[in-house]
Amino acid sequence: MEAQYIIRHHRHQPTEHQCSSSVVKHIKAPVDIVWSAVRRFDQPQKYKPFVSRCIVRGDFEIGSVREVNVKSGLPATTSTEILELLDDQEHILGFKIVGGDHRLKNYSSIVTVHPEIIDGILGALVIESFVVDVPEGNTQDETCYFVNAVINCNLKSLAIVSESTALQGCSHPSIDSELSISAIKL
Ligand code: A8S
């Protein structure tokens, strides 16, 4: 299934001086909850742990541009990003990095969210792929390693945010009493 989604939605054509890869994450929350976080092009800080601030020009339609500030400690301070694709039916978001103070030139990424059953519950399969220039002085492997690490952190955090939202929406009496029992034990 994963391979088919990748073939269908995540086809990048890297040139010789680019690298391309994809990261997959299984999340125990319904697609709608995961997608509602992913689609907010104006609020990447809701789940991306390295983003400190984001300002958007435009009405978050295709062509909207966001100015992202990243937290200190990274080889970057700002990033200018343009929304290229937003499909609420198929749950696809695509953006490109068009500027900023960092080393990722010609970065383009696609995120898709698909329904999936995980341990018998309704979950989501998230796939994020990218293509980017290999910066001067770095190898293809180093570049992929760096970007994959950033995306892995983003998707781990997306899972935490979505799974906690999914749990909040489920107020089952037996769960509530179990929670109060564990509170007493503490
Ligand atoms: C994303 C993906 C990436 C963001 C990278 C790869 C970035 O925001 C960080 C460090 C950098 O060196 C480049 O979906 C840049 O946000 C965390 C500032 C672009």
Side-chain angles (χ1 to χ4, degrees), residues 2 23-27 116 118 124-128 151-152 155-160 163:
E2 262 167 48
V23 179
V24 166
K25 179 84 190 158
H26 302 273
I27 298 183
E116 157 178 90
I118 310 172
L125 167 67
V126 181
I127 305 172
E128 180 157 351
I151 294 177
N152 257 311
L155 295 186
K156 275 204 177 116
S157 161
L158 176 65
I160 291 167
E163 286 167 5

Side-chain angles (χ1 to χ4, degrees), residues 16-44:
E16 226 184 294
H17 302 290
Q18 288 189 311
C19 75
S20 179
S21 176
S22 58
V23 179
V24 166
K25 179 84 190 158
H26 302 273
I27 298 183
K28 286 185 182 173
V31 166
D32 288 350
I33 287 180
V34 178
W35 176 244
S36 69
V38 170
R39 74 183 297 283
R40 290 303 298 263
F41 182 72
D42 58 332
Q43 293 191 341

Side-chain angles (χ1 to χ4, degrees), residues 23-132:
V23 179
V24 166
K25 179 84 190 158
H26 302 273
I27 298 183
K28 286 185 182 173
V31 166
D32 288 350
I33 287 180
V34 178
W35 176 244
S36 69
V38 170
R39 74 183 297 283
R40 290 303 298 263
F41 182 72
D42 58 332
Q43 293 191 341
Q45 68 275 27
K46 281 267 160 100
Y47 74 92
K48 293 186 181 183
F50 303 118
V51 174
S52 57
R53 206 167 82 112
C54 173
I55 293 167
V56 180
R57 281 180 266 137
D59 226 4
F60 87 92
E61 290 151 0
I62 307 304
S64 294
V65 174
R66 70 183 173 195
E67 293 290 344
V68 173
N69 286 44
V70 295
K71 293 183 182 162
S72 56
L74 291 160
T77 53
T78 60
S79 176
T80 308
E81 306 177 352
I82 184 163
L83 182 62
E84 294 237 308
L85 187 64
L86 184 68
D87 185 332
D88 281 311
Q89 257 72 54
E90 297 248 22
H91 308 126
I92 310 172
L93 178 137
F95 76 88
K96 272 201 171 109
I97 297 184
V98 291
D101 167 34
H102 58 76
R103 306 195 67 223
L104 298 183
K105 303 289 170 241
N106 293 316
Y107 181 88
S108 176
S109 101
I110 296 172
V111 191
T112 56
V113 186
H114 313 273
E116 157 178 90
I117 304 287
I118 310 172
D119 299 340
I121 68 154
L122 260 181
L125 167 67
V126 181
I127 305 172
E128 180 157 351
S129 63
F130 68 89
V131 60
V132 68

